[in-house]
């Protein structure tokens, strides 16, 4: 079984959360889907959406074999307030994590040891899309291989 | 696959819930909710530690270069954490016991009053640290139970323009001779395995 993709695990953790779903539906991805005219999955500029992607700079775990890193969480909204509402739902999700948890990815079940916010949020407008967004950063530790490997 | 025999579950990450109860309170079953006899002493902030300490006495003789015998004449087990909830129900338990709180009036206002003198005899507690995913054998609960301890730390809640008052706790384990096994007299850990 291939190695767990930590961003995929975080995306799944976010997209499975009912409070987040109530705001963004299924619009949670590793790359935005705005400005994709003709695509049935395209996001509209006034829709609330989340994009999670790698943020560099974290020292990797070279001993044990965990994915250790930092993720950028872009919360897009029609207004700054709408974007903030999404961000707050992510804060709630992370607060509610009671220790280790799992997320089912296409590469198997990921064991998420920790996911914690790592910086204060940043309210801005996406320079390429001209859409309001609140950007948050989180640190994570996720096991490199699926739990199925150990059964 | 990872080049190690260690399972992913063997690494424990994340804080646990801290409870106190009167000395003599039994350890709760790990698959049951913590009974109301236990009082949650939290939320906490920062790291929670269980420190096993006890220096070794080393014996040498004239026939050898290295030690030939060691013993551990003294031993301690300390549990430390920091409570951020400043309600008197928690403050009182940390400096002595909840019986130190009195309700009354000040002027026309209703008040709670907490006497600060800790007194000569610390209150003895049982301590429970429970994590819903704190077992190194799977995503199961784990808990640490200390049957007899006292709060031995000296909390210094500070106020400042950007400072949060916090209560630093340090629970010192006492031997509990009511435990049948000598191994258990300073507490034990229990983790679910399936």
């Amino acid at each position: 079984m291939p190695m767990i993709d930590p961003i995929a695990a975080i995306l799944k953790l976010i997209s499975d959360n009912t409070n987040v779903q109530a705001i963004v539906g299924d619009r949670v991805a590793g790359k935005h889907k705005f400005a994709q005219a003709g695509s049935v999955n395209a996001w509209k500029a006034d829709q609330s959406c989340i994009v999670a992607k790698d943020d560099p700079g974290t020292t990797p775990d070279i001993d044990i074999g965990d994915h250790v890193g930092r993720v950028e969480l872009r919360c897009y909204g029609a207004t700054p307030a709408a974007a903030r509402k999404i961000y707050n739902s992510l804060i709630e999700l992370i607060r509610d994590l009671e220790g280790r948890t799992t997320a089912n990815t296409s590469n198997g079940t990921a064991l998420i040891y920790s996911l914690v916010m790592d910086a204060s949020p940043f309210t801005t407008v996406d320079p390429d899309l001209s859409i309001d967004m609140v950007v948050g950063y989180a640190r994570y530790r996720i096991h490199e291989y699926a739990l199925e490997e150990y059964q | 696959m990872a080049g190690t025999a260690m399972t992913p579950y063997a690494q424990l990450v994340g804080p646990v819930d801290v409870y106190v109860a009167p000395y003599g309170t039994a350890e709760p079953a790990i698959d049951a909710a913590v009974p109301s006899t236990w009082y949650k002493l939290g939320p906490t902030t920062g790291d929670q530690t269980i420190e096993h300490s006890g220096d070794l006495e080393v014996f040498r003789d004239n026939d050898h270069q290295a030690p030939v015998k060691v013993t551990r004449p003294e031993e301690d087990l300390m549990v430390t954490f920091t409570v951020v909830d400043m309600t008197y129900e928690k403050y009182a338990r940390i400096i002595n016991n909840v019986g130190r709180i009195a309700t009354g009036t000040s002027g026309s206002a209703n008040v709670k009053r907490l006497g600060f003198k800790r007194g000569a005899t610390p209150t003895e507690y049982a301590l429970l640290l429970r994590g819903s995913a704190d077992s190194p054998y799977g995503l199961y609960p784990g808990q640490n139970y200390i049957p007899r301890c006292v709060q031995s730390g000296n909390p210094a809640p500070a106020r400042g323009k950007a400072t949060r008052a916090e209560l630093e706790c340090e629970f010192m384990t006492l031997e509990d001779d009511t435990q049948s096994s000598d191994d258990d007299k300073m507490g034990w850990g229990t983790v679910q395995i399936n």
Side-chain angles (χ1 to χ4, degrees):
Chain A
M1 193 168 275
M3 189 176 269
I4 289 290
D5 176 345
I7 299 299
I10 292 168
L11 288 169
K12 182 65 174 168
L13 185 73
I14 293 170
S15 61
D16 278 353
N17 183 271
T18 52
N19 292 334
V20 174
Q21 285 172 5
I23 301 172
V24 303
D26 62 355
R27 294 179 297 278
V28 179
K31 184 181 179 185
H32 77 75
K33 298 176 183 176
F34 293 113
Q36 293 182 357
S39 168
V40 292
N41 297 319
W43 299 347
K44 295 175 182 171
D46 62 349
Q47 288 181 316
S48 294
C49 319
I50 296 173
V51 171
K53 57 183 185 176
D54 285 314
D55 190 61
T58 302
T59 303
D61 180 342
I62 60 173
D63 297 316
I64 300 300
D66 291 335
H67 291 298
V68 175
R70 197 168 189 251
V71 61
E72 180 180 290
L73 301 163
R74 291 190 170 203
C75 304
Y76 290 100
T79 63
R84 169 66 74 163
K85 187 176 176 184
I86 306 165
Y87 175 79
N88 288 346
S89 73
L90 290 180
I91 295 288
E92 277 188 306
L93 183 165
I94 289 173
R95 282 248 178 273
D96 289 344
L97 294 177
E98 293 186 6
R100 302 173 299 174
T101 190
T102 58
N104 297 321
T105 74
S106 58
N107 289 352
T109 305
L111 180 61
I112 301 172
Y113 292 114
S114 63
L115 179 68
V116 293
M117 297 311 291
D118 195 37
S120 54
F122 172 45
T123 303
T124 186
V125 175
D126 187 301
D128 298 323
L129 301 166
S130 297
I131 299 175
D132 287 307
M133 64 176 181
V134 172
V135 185
Y137 297 90
R139 274 184 291 132
Y140 61 80
R141 176 179 287 274
I142 298 172
H143 198 70
E144 283 182 346
Y145 288 89
L147 293 177
E148 289 82 355
E149 293 272 4
Y150 300 87
Q151 292 171 349
Chain B
M1 186 171 159
T4 170
M6 182 178 72
T7 73
Y9 301 116
Q11 295 186 84
L12 297 180
V13 178
V16 295
D17 293 329
V18 181
Y19 299 84
V20 290
Y23 166 54
T25 305
E27 180 193 24
I30 197 152
D31 58 351
V34 177
S36 59
T37 46
W38 291 90
Y39 185 81
K40 188 172 180 179
L41 204 57
T44 67
T45 186
D47 292 341
Q48 306 159 330
T49 63
I50 299 175
E51 181 186 1
H52 305 266
S53 63
D55 293 337
L56 296 177
E57 183 75 27
V58 177
F59 296 91
R60 301 170 185 272
D61 63 25
N62 291 336
D63 295 335
H64 301 85
Q65 278 187 288
V68 294
K69 176 76 175 175
V70 291
T71 61
R72 181 178 290 110
E74 295 180 348
E75 183 173 0
D76 284 292
L77 189 135
M78 305 288 281
V79 180
T80 57
F81 52 89
T82 301
V83 173
V84 297
D85 186 333
M86 295 295 292
T87 54
Y88 275 7
E89 286 69 19
K90 295 179 183 178
Y91 201 161
R93 285 175 167 91
I94 289 166
I95 63 171
N96 196 313
N97 66 59
V98 73
R100 301 297 175 92
I101 301 173
T103 56
T105 57
S106 176
S108 58
N110 295 319
V111 297
K112 287 183 180 178
R113 191 171 184 279
L114 173 62
F116 283 152
K117 183 170 181 177
R118 291 197 282 177
T121 309
T123 301
E124 295 183 3
Y125 289 108
L127 189 69
L128 181 73
L129 309 175
R130 162 82 70 94
S132 60
D134 204 47
S135 169
Y137 300 99
L139 279 179
Y140 305 124
Q143 63 189 22
N144 293 283
Y145 171 74
I146 311 295
R148 186 175 175 226
C149 58
V150 295
Q151 203 292 107
S152 60
N154 295 302
R159 270 80 163 179
K161 283 188 176 178
T163 303
R164 179 174 63 189
E166 298 174 348
L167 294 162
E168 295 172 348
C169 300
E170 185 178 86
F171 279 80
M172 172 192 284
T173 301
L174 306 177
E175 291 230 20
D176 181 14
D177 284 333
T178 67
Q179 301 302 324
S180 55
S181 167
D182 191 57
D183 293 343
D184 292 344
K185 289 185 176 180
M186 295 179 74
W188 58 85
T190 303
V191 295
Q192 187 174 333
I193 57 175
N194 58 38

